[in-house]
Amino acid sequence: MAKSRTSFVCNECGGVQPKWIGKCPDCGAWDSLESFHEPAEAATVGTVAGVAMRAAPTTGDALGLLTGSVPINEVEQLEVPRIPTGLGELDRVLGGGLVPGSAILLGGEPGIGKSTVLLQAAASVVRGGGRVLYASSEESPQQIRLRADRLLGEGLPGAGDLYLQADTSLVRIVDEIRKVQPTVVVLDSIQMVHRLDLDAPPGSTTQIRRCCHDLVQAAKISGAAIVIVGHVTKEGQLAGPKLLEHVVDAVLAFEGDRDHGYRVLRAAKNRFGSTQEIGLFEMTDGGLRELDESGLAIDSTGPGVPGSVRTATIAGSRCLPVEVQALTATGFLGSAKRRATGLDSSRLAMLIAVLEKHGGQRLADQDVFAAVAGGARVVEPAADLAIAMAIAGAHHGRALPAGTVAIGEIGLTGALRNVRNLEQRLRELGRRGARQALVPAGGASKVGIPGLEVIGIESLGAAISHLS
Ligand code: TYD
Ligand code: MG
């Protein structure tokens, strides 16, 4: 009889402690430790969740594990094989497709479209000749079938190789992986599966950790790529995803505003690719539609409006035009509100301080709201100038001339700093009708875009004088 041991795991960082303490020594969070039972001996390789697994005949372990150490240049170079998901935007974020034997966590708020994107990807994998096991612990096979019929319509792929399983028992799901030998497994979601031998309810830290560990093992042994869905709240709070980040090979976050159609897919961690790339989708009646830059409904031609400034942000290899908006309203001195949507709130606070000190703006008693239109997220300093101009414009009811865009990082001294890929940004904005661009003086002379007047600006104060 295996003896079990009680340990304590931090809900915030996933660190394990032998005894309960009020403050997690790893991340400093208070009252975040929760007890869980760990069996004394680790699961032997080849047995997952009590199910004997047979290694997949072809793939084995995609990571090629070593038993001893060898000099790095003697390590055989492994061409990591990929399974294209058929969704170009998803493949881009994954770094070229799913890697056999790997585990991917897809996190996002409920209702953002995780099940939809995975069902669409599952169907394309099947169309490409793969076999997919879609295990849902939240919906019945009928519900999934209904959605599949609606999403894929007549295109419901040769149907044969898309297997549905509606179950909350992890043991039965792992057993099904062994039987079906799929190339891709989708588990929707980790919060609703459980192992009966653990004395904890589904969704608890103990269950989530253990079930995820079993799935990662099952992926390694069977050679299937496993995509695990995890719900997170707006603050990324719920136990699951945060706890699991270090267990899986890649963590993808599906973001967007549920009230807007746009969805952005990002990689927070990726052992097989860059974390810079993003995938763009739009939620439509017929499921998620892939977007390229030209699909974004932002053009730079419109007349200037106070509080709205257009700029461009770089994400991985692509350049996205975005509109930054701001609103100021009289608040209370000493407790004025500062709210950022889609922007970094500490960056916003810093920009307000620079506007006060070097831009001649009195904002101490003003509530300041700043947002990126359309539910996008911009955390690059290159958007500083656009944010500051939007705030100053909103405050005075002044706007930039029609077709004018602003790009630049603002330092604490109020000086403008050059940004990377300035030319790429200006080219993209020029293509969308921008006729004039305010950019840091340091970069202005280096770029020449036909039809776009590039104005070099030294400081924030000089930029504000362009508002009229
Ligand atoms: P869903 O994939 O179920 O979200 P999640 O798995 O992340 O919880 O999709 C959620 C929402 O998307 C749902 O409320 C309705 C909307 N939706 C569409 O607008 N069009 C569609 O074709 C589908 C399938 C869903
Ligand atoms: Mg779902």
Short mmCIF file of all heavy atoms in Angstrom, two decimals, residues 293-323:
data_model
loop_
_atom_site.label_atom_id
_atom_site.label_comp_id
_atom_site.label_asym_id
_atom_site.label_seq_id
_atom_site.Cartn_x
_atom_site.Cartn_y
_atom_site.Cartn_z
N GLU A 293 -3.15 41.48 -40.56
CA GLU A 293 -3.12 42.88 -40.14
C GLU A 293 -4.19 43.70 -40.86
O GLU A 293 -4.80 44.59 -40.30
CB GLU A 293 -1.76 43.52 -40.41
CG GLU A 293 -0.64 42.97 -39.58
CD GLU A 293 -0.03 41.72 -40.18
OE1 GLU A 293 -0.71 41.05 -41.00
OE2 GLU A 293 1.10 41.40 -39.83
N SER A 294 -4.42 43.35 -42.14
CA SER A 294 -5.34 44.17 -42.92
C SER A 294 -6.79 43.99 -42.45
O SER A 294 -7.65 44.78 -42.79
CB SER A 294 -5.22 43.81 -44.40
OG SER A 294 -5.54 42.45 -44.57
N GLY A 295 -7.03 42.95 -41.66
CA GLY A 295 -8.39 42.71 -41.19
C GLY A 295 -8.76 43.60 -40.02
O GLY A 295 -9.92 43.69 -39.65
N LEU A 296 -7.77 44.23 -39.41
CA LEU A 296 -8.07 45.08 -38.26
C LEU A 296 -8.75 46.36 -38.74
O LEU A 296 -8.26 47.03 -39.64
CB LEU A 296 -6.78 45.44 -37.52
CG LEU A 296 -6.18 44.30 -36.73
CD1 LEU A 296 -4.85 44.74 -36.15
CD2 LEU A 296 -7.11 43.88 -35.61
N ALA A 297 -9.85 46.68 -38.10
CA ALA A 297 -10.66 47.79 -38.60
C ALA A 297 -10.12 49.13 -38.12
O ALA A 297 -10.80 49.88 -37.46
CB ALA A 297 -12.09 47.60 -38.16
N ILE A 298 -8.85 49.38 -38.39
CA ILE A 298 -8.31 50.66 -37.98
C ILE A 298 -7.66 51.31 -39.19
O ILE A 298 -6.81 50.71 -39.84
CB ILE A 298 -7.27 50.49 -36.85
CG1 ILE A 298 -8.01 50.16 -35.57
CG2 ILE A 298 -6.43 51.73 -36.68
CD1 ILE A 298 -7.15 49.79 -34.44
N ASP A 299 -8.10 52.48 -39.53
CA ASP A 299 -7.39 53.18 -40.60
C ASP A 299 -6.93 54.52 -40.05
O ASP A 299 -7.40 55.00 -39.03
CB ASP A 299 -8.25 53.31 -41.86
CG ASP A 299 -9.37 54.28 -41.70
OD1 ASP A 299 -9.11 55.38 -41.20
OD2 ASP A 299 -10.52 53.95 -42.05
N SER A 300 -5.95 55.08 -40.72
CA SER A 300 -5.32 56.27 -40.18
C SER A 300 -5.77 57.52 -40.91
O SER A 300 -5.15 58.57 -40.81
CB SER A 300 -3.80 56.13 -40.29
OG SER A 300 -3.41 54.90 -39.75
N THR A 301 -6.84 57.42 -41.67
CA THR A 301 -7.25 58.55 -42.49
C THR A 301 -8.22 59.50 -41.78
O THR A 301 -8.25 60.67 -42.07
CB THR A 301 -7.94 58.07 -43.77
OG1 THR A 301 -8.89 57.07 -43.40
CG2 THR A 301 -6.95 57.50 -44.76
N GLY A 302 -9.01 58.95 -40.88
CA GLY A 302 -10.13 59.70 -40.30
C GLY A 302 -9.72 61.05 -39.73
O GLY A 302 -8.55 61.30 -39.48
N PRO A 303 -10.69 61.93 -39.51
CA PRO A 303 -10.37 63.24 -38.93
C PRO A 303 -9.91 63.07 -37.49
O PRO A 303 -10.29 62.11 -36.81
CB PRO A 303 -11.72 63.97 -38.99
CG PRO A 303 -12.76 62.89 -39.05
CD PRO A 303 -12.13 61.73 -39.74
N GLY A 304 -9.06 63.98 -37.04
CA GLY A 304 -8.57 63.90 -35.67
C GLY A 304 -9.68 64.15 -34.66
O GLY A 304 -10.53 65.01 -34.86
N VAL A 305 -9.70 63.37 -33.60
CA VAL A 305 -10.70 63.54 -32.55
C VAL A 305 -9.92 63.74 -31.25
O VAL A 305 -8.96 63.01 -31.00
CB VAL A 305 -11.57 62.25 -32.43
CG1 VAL A 305 -12.57 62.38 -31.30
CG2 VAL A 305 -12.26 61.94 -33.74
N PRO A 306 -10.31 64.70 -30.40
CA PRO A 306 -9.58 64.87 -29.14
C PRO A 306 -9.61 63.57 -28.34
O PRO A 306 -10.67 62.94 -28.22
CB PRO A 306 -10.37 65.97 -28.42
CG PRO A 306 -11.07 66.71 -29.52
CD PRO A 306 -11.37 65.68 -30.58
N GLY A 307 -8.48 63.16 -27.81
CA GLY A 307 -8.45 61.94 -27.00
C GLY A 307 -8.24 60.68 -27.79
O GLY A 307 -8.29 59.59 -27.23
N SER A 308 -8.02 60.80 -29.09
CA SER A 308 -7.77 59.59 -29.88
C SER A 308 -6.52 59.80 -30.72
O SER A 308 -6.41 60.80 -31.43
CB SER A 308 -8.97 59.31 -30.78
OG SER A 308 -8.57 58.56 -31.92
N VAL A 309 -5.56 58.87 -30.60
CA VAL A 309 -4.33 58.97 -31.38
C VAL A 309 -4.00 57.61 -31.94
O VAL A 309 -4.10 56.60 -31.24
CB VAL A 309 -3.15 59.48 -30.51
CG1 VAL A 309 -1.87 59.49 -31.30
CG2 VAL A 309 -3.44 60.88 -29.98
N ARG A 310 -3.62 57.57 -33.20
CA ARG A 310 -3.29 56.29 -33.82
C ARG A 310 -1.79 56.06 -33.79
O ARG A 310 -1.01 56.99 -33.94
CB ARG A 310 -3.81 56.25 -35.24
CG ARG A 310 -5.33 56.23 -35.24
CD ARG A 310 -5.88 56.35 -36.62
NE ARG A 310 -7.32 56.20 -36.57
CZ ARG A 310 -8.17 57.22 -36.66
NH1 ARG A 310 -7.72 58.44 -36.79
NH2 ARG A 310 -9.46 57.01 -36.61
N THR A 311 -1.42 54.81 -33.59
CA THR A 311 -0.01 54.45 -33.56
C THR A 311 0.12 53.01 -34.07
O THR A 311 -0.86 52.43 -34.54
CB THR A 311 0.57 54.62 -32.14
OG1 THR A 311 1.96 54.38 -32.17
CG2 THR A 311 -0.06 53.67 -31.13
N ALA A 312 1.33 52.46 -33.98
CA ALA A 312 1.50 51.08 -34.45
C ALA A 312 2.35 50.34 -33.43
O ALA A 312 3.29 50.89 -32.87
CB ALA A 312 2.18 51.06 -35.81
N THR A 313 2.00 49.10 -33.18
CA THR A 313 2.75 48.30 -32.22
C THR A 313 3.32 47.07 -32.92
O THR A 313 2.73 46.57 -33.88
CB THR A 313 1.85 47.91 -31.02
OG1 THR A 313 2.63 47.17 -30.09
CG2 THR A 313 0.67 47.07 -31.44
N ILE A 314 4.47 46.61 -32.43
CA ILE A 314 5.10 45.44 -33.04
C ILE A 314 4.88 44.24 -32.14
O ILE A 314 5.09 44.30 -30.93
CB ILE A 314 6.63 45.66 -33.19
CG1 ILE A 314 6.93 46.82 -34.11
CG2 ILE A 314 7.33 44.38 -33.63
CD1 ILE A 314 6.92 46.51 -35.57
N ALA A 315 4.41 43.14 -32.71
CA ALA A 315 4.26 41.90 -31.95
C ALA A 315 4.91 40.80 -32.78
O ALA A 315 4.39 40.43 -33.82
CB ALA A 315 2.80 41.61 -31.71
N GLY A 316 6.06 40.32 -32.33
CA GLY A 316 6.76 39.29 -33.09
C GLY A 316 7.16 39.85 -34.43
O GLY A 316 7.81 40.88 -34.51
N SER A 317 6.74 39.18 -35.49
CA SER A 317 7.17 39.62 -36.81
C SER A 317 6.14 40.53 -37.46
O SER A 317 6.29 40.93 -38.59
CB SER A 317 7.40 38.40 -37.70
OG SER A 317 6.23 37.61 -37.73
N ARG A 318 5.05 40.83 -36.75
CA ARG A 318 4.03 41.63 -37.40
C ARG A 318 3.82 42.98 -36.73
O ARG A 318 4.17 43.19 -35.58
CB ARG A 318 2.71 40.86 -37.46
CG ARG A 318 2.15 40.62 -36.12
CD ARG A 318 1.12 39.55 -36.06
NE ARG A 318 0.45 39.25 -37.30
CZ ARG A 318 -0.59 38.42 -37.37
NH1 ARG A 318 -1.05 37.88 -36.29
NH2 ARG A 318 -1.15 38.14 -38.51
N CYS A 319 3.27 43.87 -37.50
CA CYS A 319 3.06 45.23 -37.05
C CYS A 319 1.56 45.52 -37.05
O CYS A 319 0.90 45.34 -38.06
CB CYS A 319 3.78 46.17 -38.02
SG CYS A 319 3.49 47.88 -37.69
N LEU A 320 1.04 45.92 -35.91
CA LEU A 320 -0.40 46.16 -35.81
C LEU A 320 -0.70 47.63 -35.58
O LEU A 320 -0.20 48.23 -34.64
CB LEU A 320 -0.99 45.41 -34.61
CG LEU A 320 -0.74 43.93 -34.52
CD1 LEU A 320 -1.33 43.39 -33.23
CD2 LEU A 320 -1.35 43.23 -35.71
N PRO A 321 -1.52 48.23 -36.42
CA PRO A 321 -1.94 49.59 -36.17
C PRO A 321 -3.00 49.58 -35.07
O PRO A 321 -3.88 48.71 -35.07
CB PRO A 321 -2.56 50.03 -37.50
CG PRO A 321 -2.67 48.83 -38.34
CD PRO A 321 -2.11 47.66 -37.64
N VAL A 322 -2.90 50.48 -34.13
CA VAL A 322 -3.89 50.54 -33.05
C VAL A 322 -4.29 51.97 -32.78
O VAL A 322 -3.57 52.91 -33.13
CB VAL A 322 -3.36 49.92 -31.72
CG1 VAL A 322 -3.22 48.43 -31.80
CG2 VAL A 322 -2.05 50.55 -31.31
N GLU A 323 -5.44 52.12 -32.14
CA GLU A 323 -5.90 53.46 -31.76
C GLU A 323 -5.92 53.55 -30.25
O GLU A 323 -6.54 52.72 -29.58
CB GLU A 323 -7.32 53.68 -32.31
CG GLU A 323 -7.87 55.04 -31.95
CD GLU A 323 -9.33 55.22 -32.37
OE1 GLU A 323 -9.82 54.42 -33.19
OE2 GLU A 323 -9.97 56.14 -31.85
#
